[in-house]
Amino acid sequence: NGASALPLVQLPNYLHASAWSNIPARPDDAYVRAFAETVRDRLEPGRRVHVEWANEIWNYAWGFDGARVVDELAGRPEQAGFDRWQVAGREAKRDFDIWTQVFAGQTGRLVRVVAGQAANEWIVDRMASAMAGSFDALAIAPYFAPADEGRQAYTAATTVDTVLADSRAAIATSIDWTRRHAALAEQWSARLGRPIGLLAYEG
């Protein structure tokens, strides 16, 4: 929030890579449109932009304001009857629809991403259920690391081999999370009649 959109375009241009942009959770429609126009006009022709609404709306840690914004929105009368994840999906759809309008004629450059929590595929499914198909991919952050209980027992004598073994033991869980989301992406592909991808927004 508050950062210029230009570095989000300049970096992928410099790297000859696709871009990933997070739409802040509190902007008005004019900001969203101007953001999309900047990316459309400044990102090198042929490069794609992945657009995600907010950032980790289940995360209440410092610096993650999306969760609090969704709570605020969910309390408004016009959101009655929708749970917080569906409220987030409705907000994402509104902003994604603006990006789709801005990228008219070149929507192949635009990937609208519904980001969820790796450990809980229900979140991204609920968001998607309120978006009337205005998305192209699901995304998670399938991290793996030693379990909290194991890390608490680490001391200065803990060896690298122990840490690596504990990390390897966690990979199976991350793979299971990923498989569940891949199956969900396949279900949405069947419902919408077009491919819905699965991406990692972090890892």
Side-chain angles (χ1 to χ4, degrees):
N1 292 345
S4 168
L6 285 176
L8 300 175
V9 176
Q10 292 167 336
L11 182 60
N13 283 346
Y14 176 77
L15 295 173
H16 305 295
S18 296
W20 191 291
S21 296
N22 288 72
I23 304 171
R26 293 188 187 271
D28 58 23
D29 289 357
Y31 175 93
V32 174
R33 186 171 300 278
F35 187 178
E37 289 171 349
T38 298
V39 175
R40 179 198 63 195
D41 297 342
R42 300 293 188 95
L43 188 64
E44 288 179 349
R47 305 226 168 274
R48 303 176 88 189
V49 57
H50 299 76
V51 184
E52 175 188 352
W53 187 81
N55 181 31
E56 297 197 358
I57 58 169
W58 56 90
N59 191 340
Y60 286 88
W62 183 86
F64 291 84
D65 68 339
R68 293 169 185 84
V69 171
V70 172
D71 285 347
E72 175 191 321
L73 293 170
R76 294 180 179 177
E78 65 268 25
Q79 304 288 11
F82 296 94
D83 64 36
R84 71 185 312 277
W85 310 118
Q86 290 177 305
V87 168
R90 283 159 57 93
E91 293 298 308
K93 178 189 184 310
R94 188 198 68 227
D95 290 349
F96 286 177
D97 286 349
I98 293 172
W99 277 70
T100 302
Q101 293 165 12
V102 169
F103 275 78
Q106 45 184 312
T107 52
R109 301 178 66 201
L110 178 64
V111 182
R112 302 161 300 175
V113 180
V114 184
Q117 187 180 32
N120 186 355
E121 68 273 16
W122 189 80
I123 290 176
V124 73
D125 192 36
R126 290 299 286 172
M127 287 183 66
S129 74
M131 296 182 69
S134 292
F135 63 94
D136 307 299
L138 312 180
I140 56 173
Y143 286 99
F144 63 91
D148 291 343
E149 311 79 54
R151 289 200 306 272
Q152 290 170 1
Y154 289 173
T155 68
T158 300
T159 66
V160 170
D161 287 343
T162 296
V163 175
L164 290 176
D166 290 348
S167 297
R168 285 191 196 97
I171 291 174
T173 298
S174 184
I175 290 173
D176 181 57
W177 293 341
T178 305
R179 284 180 175 152
R180 291 183 190 182
H181 280 86
L184 185 60
E186 289 180 5
Q187 291 169 22
W188 276 106
S189 297
R191 286 182 215 173
L192 299 176
R194 58 185 173 82
I196 297 297
L198 177 63
L199 309 173
Y201 69 83
E202 293 176 5

